[in-house]
Amino acid sequence: MQRFGLTRDLTWLTLSMGLWGLGFGLYGFLWPLYVEHLGGSAVVVGFLSTLSGVATALVVFPGGYLADRVERKTILIWGWCAAIPVPFMFALAPNWHWLIPGVLLYFGSAFSTPALQAIVLDEASPSKLSTAYNVVMNVFGMGMVIGPTVGGLVVTHYSYHVVFMMSGLFYLASTACLLPVKRHRPTPSTAVKPRWRPRTRPRFFRWVVFSATLAVIQGITWPFVVPYLKESGHLPVETIGMLSSAGILVATLSAPLWGRLGDRVGLPRTLGYGLGMVTMGWIFLLWNPTSLGLVLSSGILRGGGEGVRGLPGVAVGRTVRKDEAGTAYGVYNLVTEMAGALAPLPGGFLYSQWPSMPMAITAFLTAILAWWLIYDGSGRPPPDTIKEMPVRVL
Protein backbone atom coordinates (compact mmCIF):
# COMPACT_ATOMS: atom_id res chain seq x y z
CA MET A 1 0.00 0.00 0.00
CA GLN A 2 2.88 2.36 0.76
CA ARG A 3 4.15 1.91 -2.80
CA PHE A 4 0.91 3.51 -3.95
CA GLY A 5 1.23 6.32 -1.42
CA LEU A 6 -1.52 4.96 0.86
CA THR A 7 -1.43 5.71 4.59
CA ARG A 8 -3.37 3.73 7.20
CA ASP A 9 -6.45 5.92 6.80
CA LEU A 10 -6.27 5.83 3.01
CA THR A 11 -6.05 2.03 3.19
CA TRP A 12 -9.29 1.88 5.18
CA LEU A 13 -10.93 4.29 2.74
CA THR A 14 -9.74 2.14 -0.14
CA LEU A 15 -11.29 -0.96 1.43
CA SER A 16 -14.52 0.93 2.09
CA MET A 17 -14.71 2.17 -1.48
CA GLY A 18 -14.03 -1.32 -2.81
CA LEU A 19 -16.85 -2.87 -0.77
CA TRP A 20 -19.21 -0.10 -1.81
CA GLY A 21 -18.26 -0.69 -5.43
CA LEU A 22 -19.02 -4.39 -5.00
CA GLY A 23 -22.46 -3.58 -3.64
CA PHE A 24 -23.18 -1.08 -6.40
CA GLY A 25 -21.74 -3.38 -9.05
CA LEU A 26 -24.30 -6.05 -8.25
CA TYR A 27 -27.02 -3.90 -9.80
CA GLY A 28 -25.27 -0.93 -11.44
CA PHE A 29 -24.80 -2.49 -14.86
CA LEU A 30 -28.28 -4.02 -14.65
CA TRP A 31 -29.87 -0.66 -13.89
CA PRO A 32 -31.15 0.13 -17.42
CA LEU A 33 -32.59 -3.38 -17.67
CA TYR A 34 -34.26 -3.04 -14.26
CA VAL A 35 -35.81 0.27 -15.32
CA GLU A 36 -37.19 -1.47 -18.41
CA HIS A 37 -38.35 -4.38 -16.20
CA LEU A 38 -40.42 -1.86 -14.22
CA GLY A 39 -41.98 -0.36 -17.36
CA GLY A 40 -39.48 2.41 -18.21
CA SER A 41 -38.13 3.23 -21.68
CA ALA A 42 -34.73 4.49 -22.89
CA VAL A 43 -35.97 8.03 -22.32
CA VAL A 44 -36.83 7.10 -18.72
CA VAL A 45 -33.31 5.71 -18.28
CA GLY A 46 -31.96 9.04 -19.51
CA PHE A 47 -34.33 10.94 -17.24
CA LEU A 48 -33.25 9.00 -14.14
CA SER A 49 -29.59 9.51 -15.08
CA THR A 50 -30.22 13.24 -15.44
CA LEU A 51 -32.05 13.27 -12.11
CA SER A 52 -29.11 11.55 -10.43
CA GLY A 53 -26.69 14.10 -11.83
CA VAL A 54 -28.82 17.04 -10.76
CA ALA A 55 -29.23 15.59 -7.25
CA THR A 56 -25.47 15.16 -6.97
CA ALA A 57 -24.78 18.65 -8.27
CA LEU A 58 -27.14 20.22 -5.72
CA VAL A 59 -25.41 18.66 -2.71
CA VAL A 60 -21.69 18.60 -3.53
CA PHE A 61 -21.09 22.32 -3.09
CA PRO A 62 -22.74 22.49 0.35
CA GLY A 63 -20.83 19.31 1.19
CA GLY A 64 -17.57 20.92 0.11
CA TYR A 65 -18.33 24.02 2.16
CA LEU A 66 -18.93 21.82 5.22
CA ALA A 67 -15.75 19.82 4.57
CA ASP A 68 -13.69 22.96 5.19
CA ARG A 69 -15.53 23.67 8.46
CA VAL A 70 -16.72 20.35 9.96
CA GLU A 71 -14.76 17.25 10.94
CA ARG A 72 -14.49 15.27 7.70
CA LYS A 73 -14.85 11.69 8.97
CA THR A 74 -18.24 12.63 10.40
CA ILE A 75 -19.34 13.88 6.99
CA LEU A 76 -18.24 10.59 5.41
CA ILE A 77 -20.26 8.53 7.89
CA TRP A 78 -23.34 10.70 7.35
CA GLY A 79 -23.06 10.24 3.60
CA TRP A 80 -22.52 6.49 3.74
CA CYS A 81 -25.41 5.95 6.20
CA ALA A 82 -27.80 8.03 4.08
CA ALA A 83 -27.37 5.67 1.12
CA ILE A 84 -27.63 2.34 2.97
CA PRO A 85 -31.48 2.09 2.69
CA VAL A 86 -31.50 2.76 -1.06
CA PRO A 87 -31.03 -0.82 -2.39
CA PHE A 88 -33.89 -2.01 -0.19
CA MET A 89 -36.07 0.82 -1.57
CA PHE A 90 -35.23 -0.25 -5.13
CA ALA A 91 -36.11 -3.87 -4.33
CA LEU A 92 -39.59 -2.86 -3.17
CA ALA A 93 -40.40 -0.54 -6.11
CA PRO A 94 -43.57 -1.71 -7.95
CA ASN A 95 -42.84 0.45 -11.04
CA TRP A 96 -40.14 2.82 -12.28
CA HIS A 97 -41.79 5.88 -10.70
CA TRP A 98 -40.97 4.46 -7.27
CA LEU A 99 -37.27 4.45 -8.15
CA ILE A 100 -37.18 8.26 -8.01
CA PRO A 101 -37.02 8.60 -4.17
CA GLY A 102 -34.18 6.08 -4.01
CA VAL A 103 -32.27 7.84 -6.80
CA LEU A 104 -32.61 11.18 -5.02
CA LEU A 105 -31.48 9.73 -1.68
CA TYR A 106 -28.55 7.77 -3.12
CA PHE A 107 -27.10 10.60 -5.18
CA GLY A 108 -28.04 13.13 -2.54
CA SER A 109 -25.61 11.31 -0.25
CA ALA A 110 -22.82 12.55 -2.53
CA PHE A 111 -22.44 15.58 -0.25
CA SER A 112 -19.70 13.49 1.40
CA THR A 113 -17.59 13.23 -1.78
CA PRO A 114 -15.66 16.52 -1.33
CA ALA A 115 -14.76 15.48 2.22
CA LEU A 116 -13.38 12.18 0.88
CA GLN A 117 -11.35 13.97 -1.78
CA ALA A 118 -10.04 16.48 0.79
CA ILE A 119 -8.91 13.68 3.10
CA VAL A 120 -6.98 12.05 0.25
CA LEU A 121 -5.35 15.38 -0.59
CA ASP A 122 -4.45 15.91 3.07
CA GLU A 123 -3.11 12.38 3.69
CA ALA A 124 -1.22 11.60 0.49
CA SER A 125 2.39 12.58 -0.12
CA PRO A 126 2.65 15.32 -2.78
CA SER A 127 5.07 13.18 -4.82
CA LYS A 128 2.55 10.32 -4.93
CA LEU A 129 -0.68 12.29 -4.97
CA SER A 130 -1.72 11.22 -8.49
CA THR A 131 -1.19 7.54 -7.68
CA ALA A 132 -2.86 7.62 -4.25
CA TYR A 133 -5.83 9.67 -5.46
CA ASN A 134 -6.34 7.41 -8.46
CA VAL A 135 -6.18 4.27 -6.29
CA VAL A 136 -8.70 5.48 -3.69
CA MET A 137 -11.16 6.95 -6.19
CA ASN A 138 -10.89 4.09 -8.71
CA VAL A 139 -10.87 1.08 -6.35
CA PHE A 140 -14.64 1.48 -6.42
CA GLY A 141 -14.28 -0.22 -9.80
CA MET A 142 -12.39 -3.18 -8.31
CA GLY A 143 -15.43 -3.97 -6.21
CA MET A 144 -17.51 -3.80 -9.36
CA VAL A 145 -15.34 -6.40 -11.11
CA ILE A 146 -17.13 -9.25 -9.36
CA GLY A 147 -20.43 -7.43 -9.00
CA PRO A 148 -21.72 -7.48 -12.60
CA THR A 149 -20.98 -11.18 -13.06
CA VAL A 150 -22.58 -12.14 -9.75
CA GLY A 151 -25.49 -9.78 -10.34
CA GLY A 152 -26.18 -11.25 -13.76
CA LEU A 153 -26.15 -14.80 -12.40
CA VAL A 154 -28.38 -13.92 -9.44
CA VAL A 155 -30.92 -12.15 -11.66
CA THR A 156 -30.99 -15.10 -14.05
CA HIS A 157 -31.47 -17.75 -11.36
CA TYR A 158 -33.29 -15.76 -8.69
CA SER A 159 -34.53 -12.18 -9.03
CA TYR A 160 -33.64 -8.50 -8.94
CA HIS A 161 -34.87 -8.36 -5.36
CA VAL A 162 -32.14 -10.73 -4.16
CA VAL A 163 -29.52 -8.62 -5.92
CA PHE A 164 -30.63 -5.45 -4.14
CA MET A 165 -30.75 -7.16 -0.74
CA MET A 166 -27.17 -8.39 -1.20
CA SER A 167 -26.12 -4.91 -2.24
CA GLY A 168 -27.50 -3.39 0.96
CA LEU A 169 -25.40 -5.78 3.06
CA PHE A 170 -22.22 -4.72 1.27
CA TYR A 171 -23.11 -1.08 1.86
CA LEU A 172 -23.30 -1.84 5.58
CA ALA A 173 -19.87 -3.51 5.52
CA SER A 174 -18.43 -0.56 3.63
CA THR A 175 -19.73 1.87 6.25
CA ALA A 176 -18.15 -0.21 9.04
CA CYS A 177 -14.73 0.28 7.40
CA LEU A 178 -14.95 4.03 8.08
CA LEU A 179 -14.94 3.52 11.86
CA PRO A 180 -11.14 2.94 12.23
CA VAL A 181 -10.35 6.12 10.25
CA LYS A 182 -9.07 8.87 12.53
CA ARG A 183 -10.84 12.18 12.78
CA HIS A 184 -9.81 14.73 10.15
CA ARG A 185 -10.41 18.30 11.20
CA PRO A 186 -10.14 21.01 8.54
CA THR A 187 -6.92 23.04 8.55
CA PRO A 188 -7.67 26.54 9.89
CA SER A 189 -6.33 29.40 7.84
CA THR A 190 -6.34 33.16 8.08
CA ALA A 191 -4.87 33.68 4.61
CA VAL A 192 -6.78 35.86 2.17
CA LYS A 193 -8.26 33.64 -0.54
CA PRO A 194 -9.31 34.69 -4.04
CA ARG A 195 -12.99 34.37 -4.87
CA TRP A 196 -14.22 31.35 -6.76
CA ARG A 197 -14.33 33.06 -10.13
CA PRO A 198 -12.64 32.20 -13.43
CA ARG A 199 -10.80 35.52 -13.46
CA THR A 200 -9.24 35.02 -10.02
CA ARG A 201 -8.61 31.26 -10.35
CA PRO A 202 -8.04 30.64 -14.07
CA ARG A 203 -6.02 27.42 -13.68
CA PHE A 204 -8.63 25.83 -11.41
CA PHE A 205 -11.49 26.69 -13.75
CA ARG A 206 -9.65 25.36 -16.82
CA TRP A 207 -9.71 21.94 -15.23
CA VAL A 208 -13.34 22.41 -14.21
CA VAL A 209 -14.37 23.28 -17.79
CA PHE A 210 -12.36 20.36 -19.16
CA SER A 211 -13.96 17.89 -16.73
CA ALA A 212 -17.45 19.24 -17.42
CA THR A 213 -16.89 18.82 -21.17
CA LEU A 214 -15.70 15.26 -20.68
CA ALA A 215 -18.71 14.52 -18.45
CA VAL A 216 -21.09 15.66 -21.20
CA ILE A 217 -19.30 13.64 -23.88
CA GLN A 218 -19.34 10.44 -21.84
CA GLY A 219 -22.80 11.03 -20.35
CA ILE A 220 -24.45 10.93 -23.77
CA THR A 221 -23.63 7.24 -24.02
CA TRP A 222 -22.85 5.41 -20.80
CA PRO A 223 -26.45 4.64 -19.63
CA PHE A 224 -27.19 2.93 -22.96
CA VAL A 225 -24.21 0.61 -23.42
CA VAL A 226 -25.88 -2.36 -21.72
CA PRO A 227 -29.20 -2.00 -23.64
CA TYR A 228 -27.15 -1.63 -26.85
CA LEU A 229 -25.25 -4.87 -26.19
CA LYS A 230 -28.49 -6.66 -25.36
CA GLU A 231 -30.59 -5.36 -28.28
CA SER A 232 -28.06 -4.73 -31.05
CA GLY A 233 -25.43 -7.25 -29.97
CA HIS A 234 -28.01 -9.91 -28.96
CA LEU A 235 -25.88 -10.87 -25.95
CA PRO A 236 -27.36 -12.57 -22.86
CA VAL A 237 -27.30 -10.78 -19.51
CA GLU A 238 -24.72 -13.17 -18.03
CA THR A 239 -22.31 -12.46 -20.90
CA ILE A 240 -22.80 -8.71 -20.60
CA GLY A 241 -22.06 -8.96 -16.89
CA MET A 242 -18.81 -10.83 -17.49
CA LEU A 243 -17.76 -8.36 -20.19
CA SER A 244 -18.52 -5.48 -17.85
CA SER A 245 -16.42 -7.13 -15.15
CA ALA A 246 -13.48 -7.49 -17.54
CA GLY A 247 -13.62 -3.82 -18.52
CA ILE A 248 -13.90 -2.64 -14.92
CA LEU A 249 -11.00 -4.89 -13.86
CA VAL A 250 -8.75 -3.34 -16.50
CA ALA A 251 -9.87 0.17 -15.50
CA THR A 252 -9.08 -0.46 -11.83
CA LEU A 253 -5.72 -2.11 -12.42
CA SER A 254 -4.67 0.61 -14.83
CA ALA A 255 -5.53 3.49 -12.49
CA PRO A 256 -2.28 3.33 -10.42
CA LEU A 257 -0.24 3.08 -13.64
CA TRP A 258 -1.94 6.14 -15.11
CA GLY A 259 -1.33 7.93 -11.82
CA ARG A 260 2.40 7.20 -11.95
CA LEU A 261 2.57 8.23 -15.59
CA GLY A 262 0.76 11.47 -14.72
CA ASP A 263 3.35 12.21 -12.02
CA ARG A 264 6.15 11.71 -14.57
CA VAL A 265 4.99 13.16 -17.91
CA GLY A 266 2.17 15.46 -16.79
CA LEU A 267 -1.57 15.19 -16.45
CA PRO A 268 -2.73 16.62 -19.81
CA ARG A 269 -0.65 14.25 -21.94
CA THR A 270 -1.55 11.25 -19.76
CA LEU A 271 -5.25 12.10 -20.08
CA GLY A 272 -4.84 12.30 -23.84
CA TYR A 273 -3.33 8.82 -24.02
CA GLY A 274 -6.15 7.41 -21.90
CA LEU A 275 -8.90 9.06 -23.93
CA GLY A 276 -7.24 7.79 -27.11
CA MET A 277 -7.70 4.24 -25.79
CA VAL A 278 -11.33 5.02 -24.97
CA THR A 279 -11.88 6.22 -28.54
CA MET A 280 -10.53 2.97 -29.97
CA GLY A 281 -12.85 1.05 -27.67
CA TRP A 282 -15.92 2.90 -28.95
CA ILE A 283 -14.84 2.26 -32.56
CA PHE A 284 -14.53 -1.48 -31.90
CA LEU A 285 -17.98 -1.56 -30.32
CA LEU A 286 -19.56 0.29 -33.24
CA TRP A 287 -17.75 -1.87 -35.77
CA ASN A 288 -19.64 -5.06 -34.89
CA PRO A 289 -21.57 -5.35 -31.61
CA THR A 290 -22.43 -8.99 -32.36
CA SER A 291 -18.76 -10.05 -32.34
CA LEU A 292 -17.82 -11.26 -28.88
CA GLY A 293 -14.13 -10.69 -29.59
CA LEU A 294 -14.63 -7.08 -30.67
CA VAL A 295 -16.97 -6.35 -27.76
CA LEU A 296 -14.41 -7.80 -25.33
CA SER A 297 -11.62 -5.77 -26.94
CA SER A 298 -13.83 -2.70 -26.75
CA GLY A 299 -14.43 -3.20 -23.04
CA ILE A 300 -10.72 -3.70 -22.33
CA LEU A 301 -9.70 -0.60 -24.30
CA ARG A 302 -12.42 1.57 -22.80
CA GLY A 303 -11.71 0.22 -19.32
CA GLY A 304 -7.98 0.81 -19.66
CA GLY A 305 -8.54 4.35 -20.85
CA GLU A 306 -11.11 5.11 -18.17
CA GLY A 307 -8.36 4.65 -15.59
CA VAL A 308 -7.36 8.29 -16.23
CA ARG A 309 -10.71 9.71 -15.13
CA GLY A 310 -9.44 10.51 -11.64
CA LEU A 311 -6.55 12.68 -12.84
CA PRO A 312 -8.55 15.93 -13.24
CA GLY A 313 -9.37 15.63 -9.55
CA VAL A 314 -5.63 15.47 -8.84
CA ALA A 315 -5.12 18.62 -10.90
CA VAL A 316 -7.81 20.42 -8.92
CA GLY A 317 -6.08 19.51 -5.67
CA ARG A 318 -2.82 20.97 -6.97
CA THR A 319 -4.35 24.33 -7.76
CA VAL A 320 -5.68 25.10 -4.28
CA ARG A 321 -4.51 25.23 -0.68
CA LYS A 322 -5.39 22.30 1.59
CA ASP A 323 -7.49 24.49 3.87
CA GLU A 324 -9.86 25.22 0.96
CA ALA A 325 -9.80 21.78 -0.68
CA GLY A 326 -13.35 20.90 0.40
CA THR A 327 -14.85 23.99 -1.19
CA ALA A 328 -12.71 23.51 -4.30
CA TYR A 329 -13.94 19.96 -4.78
CA GLY A 330 -17.47 21.12 -4.06
CA VAL A 331 -17.30 23.67 -6.90
CA TYR A 332 -15.57 21.15 -9.16
CA ASN A 333 -18.18 18.43 -8.54
CA LEU A 334 -21.06 20.88 -8.80
CA VAL A 335 -20.10 21.99 -12.31
CA THR A 336 -19.10 18.58 -13.64
CA GLU A 337 -22.12 16.76 -12.22
CA MET A 338 -24.53 19.37 -13.53
CA ALA A 339 -22.90 19.17 -16.96
CA GLY A 340 -23.05 15.39 -16.96
CA ALA A 341 -26.67 15.47 -15.81
CA LEU A 342 -27.72 17.23 -19.00
CA ALA A 343 -26.26 14.57 -21.30
CA PRO A 344 -28.22 11.31 -20.69
CA LEU A 345 -31.63 12.78 -21.55
CA PRO A 346 -30.75 13.81 -25.15
CA GLY A 347 -28.75 10.60 -25.33
CA GLY A 348 -31.95 8.69 -24.57
CA PHE A 349 -33.81 10.44 -27.40
CA LEU A 350 -30.95 9.69 -29.81
CA TYR A 351 -30.81 6.06 -28.70
CA SER A 352 -34.55 5.66 -29.22
CA GLN A 353 -34.17 6.70 -32.88
CA TRP A 354 -30.65 5.46 -33.75
CA PRO A 355 -29.16 3.13 -31.12
CA SER A 356 -25.59 3.59 -32.38
CA MET A 357 -25.73 7.39 -32.65
CA PRO A 358 -24.83 8.28 -29.02
CA MET A 359 -21.74 6.05 -29.23
CA ALA A 360 -20.69 7.51 -32.58
CA ILE A 361 -20.93 11.06 -31.20
CA THR A 362 -18.99 10.10 -28.07
CA ALA A 363 -16.25 8.39 -30.10
CA PHE A 364 -15.82 11.41 -32.39
CA LEU A 365 -15.71 14.01 -29.62
CA THR A 366 -13.45 11.89 -27.39
CA ALA A 367 -10.99 11.53 -30.28
CA ILE A 368 -10.87 15.31 -30.72
CA LEU A 369 -10.32 15.82 -27.00
CA ALA A 370 -7.52 13.20 -26.91
CA TRP A 371 -5.74 14.78 -29.89
CA TRP A 372 -5.93 18.22 -28.30
CA LEU A 373 -4.53 17.03 -25.00
CA ILE A 374 -1.62 15.16 -26.56
CA TYR A 375 -0.56 17.76 -29.09
CA ASP A 376 -1.65 21.02 -27.44
CA GLY A 377 -1.14 20.37 -23.73
CA SER A 378 2.14 21.27 -22.09
CA GLY A 379 2.52 17.78 -20.64
CA ARG A 380 3.29 19.25 -17.21
CA PRO A 381 1.12 19.15 -14.09
CA PRO A 382 -0.36 22.42 -12.80
CA PRO A 383 1.39 24.15 -9.89
CA ASP A 384 0.77 22.98 -6.34
CA THR A 385 -0.67 26.33 -5.21
CA ILE A 386 -3.01 28.96 -6.55
CA LYS A 387 -0.07 31.20 -7.45
CA GLU A 388 -0.22 31.94 -11.16
CA MET A 389 2.73 30.76 -13.27
CA PRO A 390 3.32 31.11 -17.04
CA VAL A 391 2.67 27.43 -17.73
CA ARG A 392 0.26 26.41 -20.46
CA VAL A 393 -1.90 23.60 -19.04
CA LEU A 394 -5.28 23.44 -20.75
Side-chain angles (χ1 to χ4, degrees):
M1 290 299 177
Q2 291 179 349
R3 291 181 60 188
F4 296 120
L6 299 183
T7 62
R8 174 183 175 275
D9 281 358
L10 293 184
T11 301
W12 278 111
L13 290 176
T14 299
L15 179 59
S16 177
M17 292 291 286
L19 287 171
W20 196 278
L22 177 56
F24 182 81
L26 289 172
Y27 68 86
F29 94 102
L30 292 167
W31 180 254
L33 303 181
Y34 187 59
V35 174
E36 293 180 357
H37 174 75
L38 294 181
S41 63
V43 175
V44 172
V45 174
F47 164 73
L48 291 175
S49 298
T50 297
L51 185 65
S52 66
V54 171
T56 303
L58 292 176
V59 299
V60 286
F61 180 73
Y65 182 85
L66 284 175
D68 285 337
R69 292 158 178 82
V70 178
E71 197 278 314
R72 289 166 177 168
K73 174 185 173 181
T74 302
I75 298 176
L76 293 187
I77 293 177
W78 289 349
W80 261 245
C81 289
I84 289 174
V86 172
F88 304 104
M89 296 170 65
F90 288 157
L92 298 175
N95 56 61
W96 72 264
H97 300 86
W98 287 84
L99 298 176
I100 294 177
V103 169
L104 291 174
L105 182 58
Y106 182 89
F107 289 96
S109 71
F111 68 83
S112 59
T113 300
L116 172 65
Q117 294 167 306
I119 290 176
V120 177
L121 182 64
D122 188 51
E123 281 279 310
S125 167
S127 62
K128 295 183 177 180
L129 176 59
S130 295
T131 305
Y133 186 96
N134 240 22
V135 169
V136 175
M137 302 306 293
N138 284 279
V139 77
F140 181 89
M142 181 61 78
M144 290 183 65
V145 170
I146 304 173
T149 301
V150 175
L153 292 173
V154 172
V155 166
T156 301
H157 297 287
Y158 297 97
S159 67
Y160 285 104
H161 297 82
V162 178
V163 170
F164 286 117
M165 295 297 177
M166 293 172 59
S167 176
L169 296 178
F170 281 112
Y171 285 1
L172 283 168
S174 172
T175 305
C177 290
L178 297 178
L179 300 180
V181 176
K182 69 175 183 289
R183 296 172 68 84
H184 282 262
R185 299 186 182 279
T187 304
S189 175
T190 58
V192 177
K193 304 169 188 176
R195 295 183 179 181
W196 295 98
R197 295 176 179 176
R199 187 176 64 178
T200 56
R201 298 175 183 264
R203 206 169 304 280
F204 168 78
F205 277 98
R206 287 176 197 156
W207 283 107
V208 170
V209 171
F210 166 79
S211 299
T213 302
L214 184 60
V216 171
I217 293 172
Q218 298 298 319
I220 294 172
T221 300
W222 72 263
F224 312 106
V225 174
V226 172
Y228 181 75
L229 291 175
K230 186 173 182 291
E231 297 170 9
S232 299
H234 308 293
L235 298 177
V237 174
E238 299 96 321
T239 302
I240 297 174
M242 293 178 185
L243 292 172
S244 299
S245 295
I248 295 169
L249 175 62
V250 174
T252 307
L253 295 179
S254 69
L257 303 179
W258 287 119
R260 290 190 176 186
L261 185 63
D263 286 329
R264 293 182 179 181
V265 306
L267 302 183
R269 190 173 299 166
T270 304
L271 279 163
Y273 295 151
L275 294 181
M277 289 183 61
V278 172
T279 301
M280 291 300 300
W282 288 123
I283 292 174
F284 277 26
L285 184 60
L286 288 167
W287 190 354
N288 186 0
T290 62
S291 170
L292 189 60
L294 284 176
V295 173
L296 177 60
S297 300
S298 169
I300 291 174
L301 286 169
R302 286 184 290 115
E306 285 290 331
V308 303
R309 288 295 297 273
L311 296 184
V314 177
V316 167
R318 285 176 169 166
T319 61
V320 298
R321 298 185 181 96
K322 289 186 177 181
D323 59 290
E324 57 182 3
T327 304
Y329 282 120
V331 174
Y332 169 76
N333 291 325
L334 167 64
V335 177
T336 54
E337 290 293 339
M338 187 61 74
L342 301 176
L345 197 55
F349 284 107
L350 287 172
Y351 182 84
S352 299
Q353 302 298 320
W354 308 280
S356 62
M357 184 59 68
M359 273 155 273
I361 293 174
T362 295
F364 176 72
L365 295 178
T366 304
I368 293 177
L369 204 56
W371 178 87
W372 177 59
L373 286 165
I374 294 172
Y375 293 103
D376 193 54
S378 66
R380 288 173 287 177
D384 290 335
T385 69
I386 61 172
K387 180 181 178 181
E388 284 302 304
M389 297 175 62
V391 177
R392 183 163 56 96
V393 179
L394 278 178

